[in-house]
Amino acid sequence: MAKRFYITTAIDYVNSLPHIGTAYEKIGADVLARFKRLDGFDVHFQMGNDEHSVNVKKAADERGLDPKLYCDRMRVEFEKIWKELSISYDGFMQTSDVNHEAGVKKLFAVIAEKGDIYRSQYEGWYCESCEAFLTEKDLVEGACPNHKTKPVWLKEENYFFALSKYRDRLLEHIKKHPEFILPEMRRNEILSLLNEGLEDISVSRASFPWGIPLPNDPRHVVYVWFDALINYITSVGYGWDEKLFKKWWPADVHVIGKDITRFHCVIWPAMLMSAGIELPKTVFGHGFISLKGEKMSKTLGNVVTPLDVIKRYGADPLRYYLMREGGFGRDGDFTWENFIKRYNGDLANGLGNLVARTIGMATRFQGGKIEPPDTECIGEKEKELQGVVGLSLEKIRTCLEHEGGEIEFHNALATIWEMMAAADRYINEWKPWELAKSGNAAQINCVLYHLAETIRFVAIESAPFIPATSGRIWEQMGLNALGIFSSQELKDVEKWGGIKKMVEVKQGEALFPRIEDEKVEVKVEVEKKKKEKKMEMPKADLIDITDFAKVDLRVAKIVQAERVEGADKLLKLEIDIGSETRQIVAGIAKHYSPEELVGKKIVVVANLKPAKLRGIESNGMLLAASDENSVSILTPLKDVEIGSKVK
């Protein structure tokens, strides 16, 4: 019997359509679900819409629609977007569904019978955009920290859940099961919250008509967050199909945004504890995707939607970009400039070019046919390529199994691109076009076989990330001779040599046609901004040569680089300046990954007084140029000795 894997995402308000930040969560969960299916798991991937909210009711009223009719129409719109993004969910729950209502009423009744529901007066702040009650300490300058709007003051008689009595049990559970909250920074945030103590929470609204009536008092409806959290069990049968519920619960992972960890890591597990239901195994709080450094928000009006990208470039480039830019647990950024760089550099020049080169050479030199070679042709070059490819699956598993607390989609993709880089080196070392001149047909076939086998690994291992493209690669490479693409599994790339019969490649359209027009537009836009900045730049105070001589600029080499925990912009670098190694901290994490910096030569201020950033001592400062959208570190054009003085 196949192992089962149950994964969920947060359900979405339907007062407006999803933006790229919402898609980021769904794509991440989809990659995990697809990866598990490839690994032979029986997967249930659950999504849905959160409908019993003030903002949804307002949106329906503005259109003159019954709330339920409005929600049903919005489901159609949401599902169109998820389908276009290739999100492979197995279930989709609306909180207005009758099955969900049955489950909510059942759970509420069970918790009430436990003695954990009581009636009392609520008075306090309420953010209508968050649909959440806030305390004074939650506010930033009197406003909601997420939406920058002032909350309203509510005073009404409600039913309360005795959350405070579960504080110690929650602390004990997290201590015994640190994997319950990931990544570690989210766990630490929740532990800090629990250590401050918990207050009981309101779980009903008497002044709002759109929602699920309380089973014990129909004049009240269940508070939207209490209602919404229960979808994770009602969607798999709780309250209406106990056999189904026993099959899938507990969830293996809830994938949610970092702003709603309090609901999922405190309120939700306490509700389950009260009802005597097993807790989910893991809650993973991912970071935000910002737009040029600012959080995307429907309230703030700075939204890029998935359709803005999909209509022009397809789903896979967006899926790739969002998963490649950085760690899933940390914040990321979307800019059109970076998207185009990734598209042209990684997809068009990288993956697309490797497949096109291989198909072109096979067509030109062998009539499109590639056969398994004799073992006599296997030399050091072949063994080196096989070694890189053979380690790829193990590396990808490590990145996606979140055993270390992180889900590293970006490093999994980097591993796949390492295979392609190795394949490109292999081509350049053998130069098949030179082999063709000497008539060495056997060696050409051997080279092309190794390229085809590498691409077979790439197609299967990249399928969770870029499913449509992987299928096209499979077809163009003639790999249907091995079986249809949808039948492939990870076990098929556990060892080298899966192409055991002749395959015949098919030339087709470019996988990723280069983006040329946008590149020009971006360049013009950047130049325009530079000119505007230049015009506005105030005159700096002049210094003489003796002032400049005080600054000791040195060429250094980056020996080691890593991110600073809890700081989205900072990297901790160990540098060699010739006479010594030292540590510096630089605010370049949004523009450079640690991996791409190691080994680079940079220019640093070597005689700067030590300073502490986020508690980490920095002994020096690297030099970088920056504009509104990018940062570029300064590196010597020619190879000069480490420690050389810059003057």
Side-chain angles (χ1 to χ4, degrees), residues 285-566:
H286 64 77
F288 287 145
I289 290 293
S290 58
L291 178 64
K292 293 188 176 181
E294 186 176 24
K295 180 190 170 187
M296 283 190 216
S297 165
K298 298 166 187 173
T299 306
L300 298 176
N302 61 337
V303 165
V304 176
T305 75
L307 294 178
D308 294 333
V309 182
I310 296 169
K311 285 178 180 177
R312 303 189 74 172
Y313 311 112
D316 280 1
L318 178 60
R319 290 173 63 99
Y320 175 79
Y321 174 83
L322 292 177
M323 296 295 99
R324 184 65 182 87
E325 280 294 280
F328 194 52
R330 302 176 183 278
D331 291 344
D333 198 33
F334 180 90
T335 70
W336 284 106
E337 294 87 350
N338 287 343
F339 173 80
I340 291 166
K341 284 177 185 175
R342 283 284 184 199
Y343 180 102
N344 283 338
D346 297 2
L347 298 176
N349 295 346
L351 176 55
N353 188 52
L354 175 62
V355 173
R357 285 180 84 185
T358 302
I359 291 174
M361 290 186 292
T363 302
R364 181 180 173 190
F365 303 134
Q366 299 198 153
K369 296 178 175 62
I370 302 173
E371 299 192 50
D374 296 331
T375 54
E376 293 178 7
C377 83
I378 310 300
E380 290 304 313
K381 295 183 181 69
E382 286 70 35
K383 289 176 182 176
E384 182 181 343
L385 179 59
Q386 289 179 24
V388 173
V389 174
L391 291 173
S392 60
L393 180 57
E394 181 183 346
K395 288 183 177 181
I396 292 168
R397 282 191 194 280
T398 301
C399 293
L400 300 189
E401 294 293 352
H402 58 73
E403 291 178 2
E406 266 286 7
I407 298 175
E408 298 178 335
F409 294 124
H410 62 309
N411 286 334
L413 284 166
T415 296
I416 297 170
W417 259 250
E418 284 169 12
M419 287 194 288
M420 289 187 272
D424 281 328
R425 288 194 300 272
Y426 179 71
I427 294 171
N428 294 333
E429 287 170 356
W430 269 117
K431 298 180 175 61
W433 48 93
E434 297 290 343
L435 294 173
K437 291 177 183 177
S438 61
N440 195 342
Q443 189 61 55
I444 291 174
N445 180 72
C446 184
V447 171
L448 289 171
Y449 176 85
H450 278 74
L451 294 175
E453 181 66 1
T454 300
I455 292 170
R456 183 180 73 87
F457 273 73
V458 168
I460 293 174
E461 292 177 357
S462 66
F465 298 92
I466 47 174
T469 301
S470 297
R472 288 176 64 197
I473 292 170
W474 193 263
E475 185 176 344
Q476 288 187 17
M477 288 299 301
L479 296 173
N480 282 329
L482 312 179
I484 60 172
F485 185 60
S486 60
S487 69
Q488 305 306 303
E489 297 182 350
L490 291 181
K491 66 182 181 182
D492 297 317
V493 287
E494 287 178 345
K495 59 183 180 180
W496 181 271
I499 301 178
K500 300 184 185 299
K501 60 174 75 172
M502 187 267 287
V503 297
E504 188 169 359
V505 301
K506 302 174 184 177
Q507 288 189 313
E509 293 182 3
L511 295 175
F512 300 102
R514 280 184 58 84
I515 302 173
E516 300 294 350
D517 54 336
E518 272 78 5
K519 183 178 179 182
V520 174
E521 290 170 17
V522 168
K523 186 176 179 182
V524 170
E525 187 64 23
V526 169
E527 291 301 322
K528 180 182 174 185
K529 287 178 180 176
K530 282 182 180 176
K531 287 178 183 177
E532 289 172 354
K533 268 200 161 181
K534 209 169 187 179
M535 290 171 64
E536 297 169 3
M537 190 177 292
K539 289 184 178 179
D541 293 334
L542 298 176
I543 62 172
D544 61 30
I545 192 67
T546 57
D547 291 321
F548 179 74
K550 295 176 184 177
V551 183
D552 185 11
L553 299 178
R554 300 278 174 174
V555 174
K557 183 178 181 180
I558 298 174
V559 178
Q560 190 172 331
E562 61 183 81
R563 293 185 180 275
V564 174
E565 187 70 31

Side-chain angles (χ1 to χ4, degrees), residues 9 12 15 123 157 198 219 245-246 262 344 374 404 407 455-456 463 493-494 542 546 582 642-643:
T9 66
D12 303 305
N15 53 304
E123 186 172 0
E157 189 173 62
L198 295 177
R219 295 173 301 170
F245 180 59
K246 286 178 182 178
R262 178 167 66 95
N344 283 338
D374 296 331
I407 298 175
I455 292 170
R456 183 180 73 87
V493 287
E494 287 178 345
L542 298 176
T546 57
R582 58 171 69 175
I642 297 169

